Amino acid sequence: MIETNDPGLRCWLDDANDSACDFPIQNLPLGVFTLRGQSPGAHRIGVAIGQHVLDLSIVWPELCPDLADLGPALFAQHSLNPLLNRGRKTWTLVRHRISRWLRESSPALRDNPDLRSRCLVPMDQAVMHLPVEVGDYTDFYSSKEHATNVGMMFRDPANALLPNWKHLPVGYHGRSSSIVVSGTDIHRPCGQTNPEDAPTPTFGPCRLLDFELEVGFITGPGNALGRPIDVNQAHEHIFGLVLVNDWSARDIQKWEYVPLGPFTAKNFATSISPWVVPIEALDPYRVRTPRGPDDPPVQKYLDGAWDWNFDLNLEVRLQSAKMREQGIAPVPVTRNNFSLMYWNMCQQLAHQTITGCNVRPGDLYASGTVSGPTPDSRGSMLEICWKGTQPLTLPTGEQRRFLADGDTVIMTGHSARPDLPRIGLGEVRGTILRAPGA
Ligand code: MN
C-alpha cells in the first residue's frame, strides 16, 4: 500500500480522525479558496483536512525551505493548473509532505500555534472556487444501465444499446466556459423545443430540466498531438476526481440532438465539486471493470487497465423551495455505486486519444450519467420518473417529474470499507433559478 494511504495514520487535528469525515489524512484533496469576508480575497491553494482547510501558500514556504520556490509557483495561484502541469512526480512529493506535517507524531506544525493560526482555516471560513481552469471538457456515456434505460425509453426495449456501445466509449466534446463550482445557482435555460402535438417548434423556458449524476477526472500532462495515450499508461495522466452534475434540458435535447448530438441542451451549465481527490487516495478502492459472458472482446487499444474502476458510493438528494421554507432536509432520490461503469477512465482516455487528439493539463472528462440496476439507483430524473410517467412525491406533497424552479440538487460521493479510511469527494450542489425574462 502507498505510505500516505496507511489506514493506521492519524492526524493531530481531532476532527480529521472522525470515521464519518470525508477528509481524513489519507485523502488530502486540493482546492482553490479565498477567505470569507475578504473581497476580493487572494486566491490560494488549500488541502481539506477534517473540518479545516490548510493554506498551502502559507505553510509550504515555512515548512519546505528546501523547495521554497514551489510555494508561490504552485500554491499562491487561482487554479490547480500550475500543479497539474508538473505531473506525477511533483504531485506525489506534495502529497507526501502534507501527509507528514499532519501526522499525529509530527511536531513541525502541531507545536507551532503561530503558524497553525495563520495557515489553518475553519472550512466555513473558506469560500471555494472552481479548482481548475478547464481547457477542454468531454462527457462520456459509459454506464450500461443508463444507456440501456435511455435506449428503452426512446428507442427499442429489445435493442436498447446501439450497436457501437459495447465496442467504444461513446462521448461528445462539451463546453468548458460554463463549468461552475458547487454552490453556483443555475438559470433555467431557454431554447427551442418541439412538443409532440405541435405543428411547429416553440421557444421558451426549458420544461424538462434534469440533473445527471456523474464522476469526472482531471488530467495533468497529456500527450503530444498525434501520439495516442496507451490504455495501460492512461492513469499516469490523471490527477484526481470530482463530482459532476451535467445539467440537461431534455426537451431541448430531444429536438436539437439529431444528427450531431447534444448542443444547447447541455451547454448552459455543468457543476463540479470544489475538492479534487487525488487518484492515489482512492487507490485502495480500485476494483475490476465488470464484464459479463455476453460482452464482446474489445479492440487492442482498449484492452487494458481492467482494474481501474472505483468502489465509490454516490447519492443525490433533492430539496424544493417549499421544503427549505418548512425546514425539511433534502431527501435522497438515488443511491448507487461507480464501480459498475462498463468503460473506465483509462479506456476513455485511450479512446479519445487514439486519433492522436492531445490531452492537456486541466481537462475535465465526465463519466456519463451513473445509473445502477435498480429503480432506486437511477442517475437522472428522466430515469427516476421514467420519462415523467412515475412522478416523485416530496415530503411536502409536491410532485416532481423533472426539476422545478427553486429546487436544490445535492450530489455526494465517498468510498468506505470497514478496514479502510473513508475517502470522500465532498459534494456538488446547485439551485435552479427561473429562466431569465420568465
Ligand atoms: Mn452527461
Side-chain angles (χ1 to χ4, degrees):
M1 178 171 289
I2 303 170
E3 183 199 316
T4 50
N5 292 342
D6 182 345
L9 293 179
R10 287 175 63 83
C11 178
W12 42 260
L13 261 174
D14 275 345
D15 57 29
N17 300 322
D18 181 344
S19 61
C21 170
D22 266 356
F23 307 125
I25 192 171
Q26 294 87 353
N27 190 342
L28 306 179
L30 299 178
V32 175
F33 74 102
T34 52
L35 295 175
R36 192 169 296 284
Q38 287 187 8
S39 182
H43 289 65
R44 66 285 298 277
I45 308 301
V47 56
I49 179 73
Q51 300 294 326
H52 290 79
V53 179
L54 181 68
D55 185 339
L56 295 178
S57 75
I58 291 178
V59 75
W60 189 276
E62 301 232 13
L63 295 186
C64 292
D66 57 322
L67 295 164
D69 55 325
L70 280 185
L74 298 187
F75 305 125
Q77 294 289 341
H78 278 75
S79 75
L80 293 173
N81 291 54
L83 178 65
L84 296 172
N85 269 306
R86 297 279 185 135
R88 176 77 56 205
K89 217 173 140 189
T90 303
W91 305 341
T92 302
L93 170 90
V94 167
R95 182 170 167 77
H96 272 257
R97 295 281 172 120
I98 300 169
S99 174
R100 297 246 163 103
W101 303 331
L102 292 170
R103 288 178 200 177
E104 211 168 37
S105 56
S106 167
L109 186 53
R110 185 193 69 194
D111 297 347
N112 186 340
D114 168 60
L115 178 56
R116 246 180 26 218
S117 71
R118 286 183 289 124
C119 71
L120 210 52
V121 180
M123 210 166 257
D124 59 6
Q125 293 303 305
V127 178
M128 301 308 298
H129 299 270
L130 204 57
V132 177
E133 275 174 55
V134 178
D136 283 295
Y137 163 43
T138 298
D139 192 22
F140 287 96
Y141 188 58
S142 293
S143 157
K144 188 172 77 176
E145 290 73 19
H146 171 68
T148 303
N149 287 341
V150 172
M152 285 173 70
M153 278 185 271
F154 291 101
R155 286 184 299 270
D156 174 9
N159 296 288
L161 293 178
L162 286 167
N164 62 1
W165 198 90
K166 284 190 171 182
H167 294 279
L168 53 84
V170 169
Y172 66 95
H173 290 299
R175 182 79 192 166
S176 57
S177 66
S178 53
I179 294 172
V180 294
V181 73
S182 174
T184 306
D185 291 336
I186 306 298
H187 285 277
R188 178 180 297 272
C190 287
Q192 258 196 57
T193 60
N194 191 24
E196 268 157 39
D197 46 359
T200 55
T202 57
F203 174 83
C206 161
R207 288 169 301 110
L208 309 182
L209 185 58
D210 204 351
F211 61 78
E212 289 189 339
L213 168 63
E214 307 198 15
V215 176
F217 68 88
I218 287 168
T219 49
N223 51 323
L225 187 65
R227 298 293 184 108
I229 291 176
D230 184 290
V231 66
N232 289 309
Q233 289 302 312
H235 62 275
E236 287 299 335
H237 298 268
I238 299 173
F239 173 71
L241 306 191
V242 291
L243 294 164
V244 179
N245 184 346
D246 179 28
W247 304 97
S248 298
R250 299 296 180 200
D251 43 353
I252 297 171
Q253 184 177 357
K254 191 178 175 217
W255 173 229
E256 75 171 2
Y257 88 101
V258 182
L260 291 186
F263 187 35
T264 66
K266 301 272 192 177
N267 74 1
F268 57 95
T270 306
S271 300
I272 67 172
S273 52
W275 294 109
V276 187
V277 173
I279 56 168
E280 283 103 319
L282 286 161
D283 193 68
Y285 291 101
R286 275 171 51 197
V287 293
R288 287 193 67 77
T289 306
R291 274 297 178 280
D294 298 337
D295 296 331
V298 299
Q299 299 283 339
K300 195 163 175 291
Y301 77 94
L302 293 169
D303 187 3
W306 290 105
D307 53 356
W308 277 94
N309 278 36
F310 291 94
D311 174 9
L312 173 63
N313 302 298
L314 301 170
E315 182 177 90
V316 183
R317 286 174 295 148
L318 185 64
Q319 186 187 44
S320 68
K322 200 169 173 184
M323 287 168 67
R324 204 156 40 245
E325 281 162 27
Q326 297 183 7
I328 301 172
V331 286
V333 294
T334 199
R335 287 195 179 109
N336 62 35
N337 193 289
F338 191 48
S339 63
L340 294 181
M341 298 303 279
Y342 190 87
W343 297 104
N344 67 45
M345 44 192 80
C346 296
Q347 293 168 325
Q348 291 169 338
L349 213 47
H351 181 63
Q352 164 143 344
T353 62
I354 191 60
T355 56
C357 172
N358 50 328
V359 163
R360 294 181 296 187
D363 285 356
L364 173 67
Y365 300 81
S367 57
T369 307
V370 184
S371 288
T374 55
D376 59 358
S377 62
R378 296 167 179 163
S380 64
M381 291 295 279
L382 176 71
E383 297 162 83
I384 293 168
C385 302
W386 208 255
K387 234 176 145 184
T389 60
Q390 300 164 19
L392 273 181
T393 303
L394 301 176
T396 48
E398 298 169 281
Q399 287 208 324
R400 286 290 179 276
R401 290 175 169 81
F402 288 90
L403 298 173
D405 293 347
D407 284 357
T408 299
V409 178
I410 304 148
M411 299 175 175
T412 54
H414 72 275
S415 294
R417 234 170 54 191
D419 57 327
L420 290 172
R422 174 187 173 112
I423 302 293
L425 269 67
E427 66 169 34
V428 57
R429 69 167 63 211
T431 299
I432 304 301
L433 303 180
R434 67 197 170 112

